[in-house]
Amino acid sequence: MVTLGVRRWETLADSVQGVNKRRNQDWYECRGAGTGESPLLLAVADGHGSAAHARSELGARFAVDRFMGLAEHFGRAAADCQGPGRLSRLMTYARDDFPRALVHEWRQAALGHWDRNRPVVEEASREPGTEEKVVLYGTTLIGAVLMPWLFVAWQIGDGDLAVVEHDGTLSRPLAPAEEDLGDETESLCGRDAWRSVRMHWAPVFEEARTPRLVVLSTDGLSKSFASADGYRSFVEGLAGRLAGEGGAGVREVLPRWLAEAARHSGDDTTLAAALRFARDAPEPAGAEAEAEAGGNGESTAVAAGAAEPDEPKTETETET
């Protein structure tokens, strides 16, 4: 039996630029309320940032923008697919067609930008091939859709999706069987990239079993810890702080946490999270505005003189 009770989520998100980076090449967006009429959409993307991927900060933004558009369409389709048979067909679409459409639209955005912004070169210079152009915009992506009866997420490349379930257990449902080595990772700019998109499909058949917390982050966060246990401890600490204080207090210190992680990992660091409220909890002040948050690290800053909370700690001692 599918329960259709209205669900409300509080979102928080931020991004900070990595140490010695010329610009922040991450992008993120949170949109919607998590209801059947307004699914909650979350996405973070991490442009590769090397010389071979010179336009990757734009690629990251294109990835988030195109995901949001497709996810809105997916949410409208899901609104009419609550029965088991229809959910099965929707899952097939999410597994096969959604990644194809995402990669296609992202490539079209990248190639369109190239056509409008060709570099000035010698007349005799060779025109880069299509794949060479697309590589300039290389990026990873994690995106999620949350509705009262469905939680689905997609990922290509590194970064992390962490889920604190209804009973408090923590899972990383899209973590690869083997971690990527060094800076190697799958990318939207790869050949047949849609084949590398991983999907998490989780229908919600009882309202009480809805996840408590969903966290999307770029690898600048997880790389700041000496081990996967450190990252898990961070998410568990975040869940505890959010459960005890709500989003307002955590939102205030989040930029400083991310800046500390970026200092250790050396990479741009971005986090977008959704905290489920109890059904009878009052509507949080400003929740509607928060649900439409989006942007990149250029607009954020470390909170100067922030207090010293008992926040999750980074473990690694080696800066890169």
Side-chain angles (χ1 to χ4, degrees), residues 19-187:
V19 176
N20 298 324
K21 296 274 188 174
R22 290 195 306 158
R23 61 173 65 91
N24 189 338
Q25 286 146 337
D26 287 0
W27 198 263
Y28 68 88
E29 186 166 354
C30 307
R31 183 189 305 173
T35 65
E37 298 75 20
S38 176
L40 177 59
L41 315 178
L42 307 171
V44 300
D46 179 2
H48 298 328
S50 68
H53 309 286
R55 299 185 180 189
S56 64
E57 79 279 7
L58 295 169
R61 183 166 187 173
F62 296 157
V64 170
D65 289 349
R66 269 52 188 182
F67 174 83
M68 286 291 170
L70 287 168
E72 282 191 339
H73 176 77
F74 178 86
R76 288 194 293 272
D80 297 325
C81 293
Q82 299 165 27
R86 291 184 174 182
L87 269 181
S88 177
R89 289 192 291 274
L90 187 68
M91 183 184 69
T92 300
Y93 169 80
R95 183 190 62 203
D96 299 332
D97 299 320
F98 191 97
R100 286 177 182 269
L102 177 63
V103 172
H104 173 75
E105 291 203 8
W106 178 83
R107 288 174 63 93
Q108 293 302 112
L111 293 173
H113 181 269
W114 170 272
D115 288 340
R116 296 188 301 275
N117 298 274
R118 293 172 181 271
V120 177
V121 296
E122 298 292 335
E123 187 172 341
S125 297
R126 181 181 66 87
E127 172 78 3
T130 298
E131 297 307 316
E132 292 175 284
K133 298 172 187 175
V134 170
V135 164
L136 292 170
Y137 299 84
T139 183
T140 66
L141 175 72
I142 309 171
V145 176
L146 289 148
M147 305 179 69
W149 55 90
L150 180 63
F151 167 36
V152 58
W154 298 261
Q155 178 173 356
I156 181 169
D158 54 24
D160 296 274
L161 171 72
V163 181
V164 178
E165 305 289 355
H166 68 284
D167 58 359
T169 58
L170 190 154
S171 64
R172 296 174 59 200
L174 291 177
E178 296 183 4
E179 298 291 342
D180 295 327
L181 298 176
D183 291 330
E184 293 184 4
T185 190
E186 301 289 350
S187 171

Side-chain angles (χ1 to χ4, degrees), residues 172-208:
R172 296 174 59 200
L174 291 177
E178 296 183 4
E179 298 291 342
D180 295 327
L181 298 176
D183 291 330
E184 293 184 4
T185 190
E186 301 289 350
S187 171
L188 278 173
C189 71
R191 291 184 181 275
D192 296 327
W194 66 272
R195 297 181 184 276
S196 301
V197 176
R198 310 188 294 278
M199 183 189 75
H200 174 59
W201 177 264
V204 180
F205 296 106
E206 295 181 40
E207 181 178 354

